[in-house]
Amino acid sequence: MIILNVLPMTLEQGLAYALVALGIALTFRVLAFPDLTVDGSFPLGGAVAARLIVAGVDPVLAAAAATLAGFVAGSLTGLLNTRLKINSLLAGILMMTILYSVNLRIMGRANIQLLDRPTVFSAMENMDVTRYVPVILFFFVVTMAVKILLDLFLHTQYGMALRATGDNEDMIRSLGVNTDNATVFGLGLSNAMVSLSGALVAQDQGFSDVGMGIGMIVAGLASIIIGEALVKPKSVFRLSLAAVVGSVAYRFIISLGLRLGLAPTDLKMATGFMVIVALGIPAIRGKREGKIHLRGV
Amino acid sequence: MLELENVIKVFNRGTQDEKRALDGIDLVVEKGDFVTIIGSNGAGKSTLLNVIAGTHQPDEGHVRINGRDVTRWPDYRLACYIARVFQDPTMGTAGAMTIEENLALAERRGKRRGLQWGVTAAYRRRFREILKILDLGLEDRLKLATGLLSGGQRQSLTLLMATLSLPKVLLLDEHTAALDPRTAEKVTLLTDQIVRENNLTTLMVTHNMNQALKHGNRMIMLHQGRIQMDVRGEEKKNLTVAELIAKFGKTLKDETLLSCDS
Ligand SMILES: Nc1ncnc2c1ncn2[C@@H]1O[C@H](COP(=O)(O)OP(=O)(O)O)[C@@H](O)[C@H]1O
Ligand SMILES: [Mg+2]
């Protein structure tokens, strides 16, 4: 019974945040770049969209602008790392910290309400069916569209160069790819997806908050790890599928936990433990596989 | 074709560990030359190839290819002229990507990469044909991740990738050293075949004197960052390992060099 009760919410949130998981899969898994910009670029998407919607901009355009802003933020992290040679983790942390102030500036305050504003979900409020149905459908279509576009891109000449950059940087440089540029572009793409997610989540929940990105990376990592346990990521197609499936599965576990008495304030701690256990088990068992291979750390 | 003029490379300049890895190299390689390079450990062989490929920038001197000064070019830009195979078989391919994807990456070495489909049907047909040269059955396993191949298979594939879009200069750095003797022999024969068939300008570093004498039309020996010997043509053909050791035994301290009497 509990399972049925949490299902709609699980699907809505799982699919809404799946774009974050896809973005993190692109950086951590494909580019092997541990990008921490996400905690800042997610609220950036919310902030840009909310501010623009309040200013009267069309909600779809607002989401597009948020996506672009995310691309810029991710690219800047890439530039910090490749041009200024700042360690990849630190570059992400710097960008995330800077974005906190940027997001406050964009919104002018810590929180913008959108409840009485037009959003991409406005038309879904007064349908004959419960709100969940069109909203879930909407997020499903958007997420799958992004997933498929990403799959296709990663099979193009440049997309393959991007994958090779994360796989064997020396080799692909010797084949003529400027891996610095590839890294910058990949980080931009990843954070564009994350910001899009932020823009849509803000519109769905009816507000944008400067703190809405806290713990987003860890939650995304947990999603990816769970997804990869369910869908063996033997190909690009399955890797991105694992991110989507994992995102839904993660939200399901969380909702279930909350229903069973997990305090909402302990949520991030529980997520953190989940990631620690998943990453730690191979080490305790003395196996090396399962460890995330990362460049530039 | 390939021209090095007074190339100097110093590592850790101004510290206790200062090392003149290349100490004034002058070298002119003609089109179609197959040059083997020997020298003891630390002689500067890898550094020489790294400087040519743009992985390291020399402190002084010039590198020219086809008359063009490429001294300050970064490695990815030099890829339009140069292909490399390294000693470590895992360095030559992207392990999580398939055989056909790796070949497609190599096919576009030094060319623009856009949003066109990466592995086209035409590529695939061509790869299938070319892979038959290796005689490893890889032509039927195009969708296999290269990380699942053995060292020898991976190195053979790397060699094929390096020569796929005929480079102006092919650089081989002890590319058979990490393989077992039988596989090494096969890869060496394959190298010879590919280099000759395509008349590739090649520099091959080897720690095996027999190999250095048997292959190519020219041999140079490096010692402490300098070219100590440079033989070609008939002179090289008539040279024997015994003569080499008699002449340079003292400078060739490296046991791997002295122990090769097979
Ligand atoms: N990146 C580097 N930093 C410092 N010293 C180096 C570096 N690369 C090579 N060297 C030093 O330069 C010398 C020549 O090295 P190398 O060209 O690798 O020799 P070889 O390939 O002939 O064995 C060695 O003494 C080596 O320690
Ligand atoms: Mg060497």
Side-chain angles (χ1 to χ4, degrees):
Chain A
M1 216 41 228
I2 289 181
I3 291 177
L4 278 181
N5 283 338
V6 300
L7 207 57
M9 222 232 315
T10 295
L11 280 174
E12 176 184 354
Q13 297 206 330
L15 291 168
Y17 288 95
L19 293 176
V20 177
L22 278 173
I24 292 178
L26 177 60
T27 48
F28 275 73
R29 283 301 194 214
V30 175
L31 279 175
F33 188 107
D35 176 34
L36 304 186
T37 314
V38 176
D39 275 24
S41 58
F42 184 78
L44 172 69
V48 170
R51 179 64 196 263
L52 288 176
I53 287 172
V54 169
V57 175
D58 177 78
V60 175
L61 267 183
T67 308
L68 194 68
F71 186 90
V72 173
S75 305
L76 286 174
T77 302
L79 289 174
L80 290 183
N81 175 248
T82 57
R83 299 292 187 277
L84 303 185
K85 308 294 174 206
I86 295 173
N87 168 290
S88 53
L89 286 170
L90 186 55
I93 291 172
L94 285 170
M95 205 57 215
M96 178 209 314
T97 307
I98 291 169
L99 282 174
Y100 188 82
S101 296
V102 171
N103 293 339
L104 278 173
R105 268 196 180 274
I106 290 173
M107 294 201 289
R109 52 181 183 271
N111 189 295
I112 292 183
Q113 292 294 320
L114 292 171
L115 283 174
D116 47 358
R117 302 284 176 176
T119 67
V120 294
F121 301 97
S122 297
M124 302 172 196
E125 304 294 348
N126 304 313
M127 291 183 162
D128 289 340
V129 287
T130 146
R131 182 178 184 273
Y132 276 126
V133 176
V135 170
I136 289 171
L137 218 62
F138 171 82
F139 276 122
F140 179 77
V141 170
V142 171
T143 298
M144 289 319 273
V146 171
K147 178 214 178 299
I148 290 167
L149 281 176
L150 182 65
D151 290 346
L152 292 175
F153 168 68
L154 290 175
H155 284 96
T156 63
Q157 289 170 0
Y158 196 70
M160 286 193 347
L162 224 70
R163 284 159 63 202
T165 298
D167 194 323
N168 190 341
E169 188 172 7
D170 290 334
M171 168 258 194
I172 196 65
R173 280 180 79 84
S174 81
L175 291 178
V177 172
N178 182 339
T179 51
D180 286 356
N181 289 352
T183 301
V184 170
F185 182 75
L187 287 178
L189 207 58
S190 161
N191 284 285
M193 290 187 259
V194 173
S195 281
L196 173 60
S197 180
L200 295 178
V201 166
Q203 297 189 38
D204 183 28
Q205 67 191 11
F207 65 90
S208 168
D209 188 279
V210 73
M212 69 196 245
I214 296 173
M216 202 51 67
I217 294 158
V218 178
L221 276 179
S223 303
I224 290 175
I225 291 166
I226 295 167
E228 290 181 355
L230 298 173
V231 182
K232 285 270 159 283
K234 285 180 290 194
S235 62
V236 170
F237 177 85
R238 294 175 68 109
L239 184 83
S240 56
L241 184 67
V244 176
V245 169
S247 178
V248 175
Y250 165 73
R251 296 289 156 181
F252 179 71
I253 294 170
I254 291 298
S255 317
L256 217 56
L258 290 173
R259 287 288 169 122
L260 294 175
L262 176 72
T265 42
D266 288 338
L267 208 119
K268 297 201 194 308
M269 184 164 65
T271 307
F273 284 145
M274 244 193 256
V275 175
I276 290 172
V277 168
L279 291 181
I281 284 176
I284 290 168
R285 281 205 195 137
K287 284 188 197 158
R288 294 201 58 217
E289 66 216 75
K291 227 176 154 195
I292 298 185
H293 142 79
L294 297 174
R295 290 186 301 144
V297 178
Chain B
M1 169 80 250
L2 172 67
E3 223 184 306
L4 281 82
E5 185 192 317
N6 189 32
V7 167
I8 295 177
K9 177 71 192 174
V10 183
F11 287 111
N12 306 316
R13 191 188 280 274
T15 70
Q16 264 188 343
D17 300 325
E18 180 167 305
K19 178 80 205 172
R20 287 179 91 79
L22 297 179
D23 195 7
I25 299 278
D26 287 295
L27 179 68
V28 177
V29 179
E30 302 299 337
K31 188 167 167 19
D33 266 355
F34 184 172
V35 184
T36 56
I37 303 174
I38 56 168
S40 54
N41 258 333
K45 307 180 295 291
S46 296
T47 307
L48 178 66
L49 297 202
N50 281 332
V51 162
I52 294 171
T55 313
H56 291 325
Q57 311 251 304
D59 296 276
E60 280 176 50
H62 291 276
V63 181
R64 291 187 198 88
I65 295 178
N66 278 348
R68 200 159 175 187
D69 193 319
V70 298
T71 317
R72 299 281 156 228
W73 284 25
D75 50 358
Y76 61 84
R77 207 173 149 207
L78 272 161
C80 65
Y81 292 131
I82 290 171
R84 302 187 75 171
V85 182
F86 299 93
Q87 178 173 350
D88 179 355
T90 62
M91 278 180 74
T93 53
M97 298 175 75
T98 63
I99 292 176
E100 61 178 17
E101 284 174 336
N102 273 281
L103 283 163
L105 286 171
E107 161 67 37
R108 296 206 69 75
R109 180 165 42 74
K111 296 183 201 139
R112 227 185 62 80
R113 291 167 206 263
L115 293 181
Q116 298 93 320
W117 198 243
V119 186
T120 61
Y123 272 6
R124 199 169 280 137
R125 270 197 301 279
R126 179 157 172 243
F127 297 160
R128 223 174 246 128
E129 277 315 303
I130 290 181
L131 280 167
K132 286 182 186 154
I133 300 173
L134 299 185
D135 199 20
L136 293 170
L138 297 186
E139 60 272 18
D140 301 320
R141 298 154 82 191
L142 287 178
K143 301 222 186 284
L144 191 74
T146 58
L148 299 173
L149 299 175
S150 71
Q153 289 173 327
R154 246 180 127 160
Q155 203 67 328
S156 306
L157 180 62
T158 306
L159 193 61
L160 207 61
M161 284 167 58
T163 51
L164 197 55
S165 60
L166 302 179
K168 294 270 183 294
V169 181
L170 176 63
L171 303 178
L172 307 168
D173 193 352
E174 305 202 38
H175 68 304
T176 62
L179 307 175
D180 66 82
R182 264 190 57 209
T183 317
E185 181 61 25
K186 274 188 76 179
V187 173
T188 304
L189 287 175
L190 181 69
T191 307
D192 221 35
Q193 181 193 344
I194 292 180
V195 168
R196 266 193 239 188
E197 274 174 12
N198 300 296
N199 198 25
L200 294 174
T201 309
T202 303
L203 270 67
M204 178 171 86
V205 172
T206 171
H207 61 252
N208 181 320
M209 276 199 243
N210 279 311
Q211 204 182 24
L213 288 174
K214 205 162 101 197
H215 302 281
N217 62 338
R218 182 174 174 190
M219 182 180 84
I220 62 177
M221 187 170 97
L222 284 186
H223 184 61
Q224 295 180 347
R226 297 209 180 108
I227 294 178
Q228 195 166 42
M229 185 169 83
D230 185 348
V231 289
R232 56 188 100 193
E234 284 303 308
E235 191 187 353
K236 171 170 182 291
K237 254 190 210 143
N238 299 329
L239 201 63
T240 63
V241 173
E243 283 171 347
L244 259 183
I245 292 178
K247 201 165 170 198
F248 293 107
K250 279 194 267 350
T251 53
L252 293 175
K253 282 180 297 248
D254 194 345
E255 304 94 38
T256 51
L257 270 166
L258 293 173
S259 67
C260 64
D261 46 3
S262 61

